[in-house]
Amino acid sequence: MLDRRYVARTDAQGFYSFAQVAAGPHELELIQDNLPLPWSSAGAASQRTEVRVRDTVSVDFPVQKER
């Protein structure tokens, strides 16, 4: 979730994107309840990032498969 307003789903490889994000600070949040079982978050569930004009930013959320 981007800035608690926009939602994106991952593709089969776990990639996601938000098109046309305004420059400036943003917060990305991993909604753990939406992870398929048996996966869970292996780190922080939210991350802040800065988007610069005409730039691409990559943010990763580590997940792990529960045993």
Side-chain angles (χ1 to χ4, degrees):
M1 181 181 302
L2 176 67
D3 296 333
R4 298 186 184 261
R5 295 180 62 193
Y6 305 103
V7 178
R9 297 232 179 242
T10 62
D11 64 14
Q13 288 77 36
F15 294 103
Y16 63 95
S17 66
F18 294 95
Q20 302 177 358
V21 175
H26 296 279
E27 183 172 355
L28 286 154
E29 182 179 0
L30 173 66
I31 309 300
Q32 296 187 44
D33 290 343
N34 291 343
L35 290 174
L37 292 174
W39 296 91
S40 67
S41 174
S46 67
Q47 296 184 39
R48 294 199 54 78
T49 189
E50 180 79 23
V51 176
R52 300 183 197 279
V53 175
R54 291 189 276 287
D55 197 8
T56 299
V57 177
S58 294
V59 177
D60 292 323
F61 288 96
V63 294
Q64 65 187 11
K65 190 172 186 178
E66 296 292 330
R67 294 179 182 212

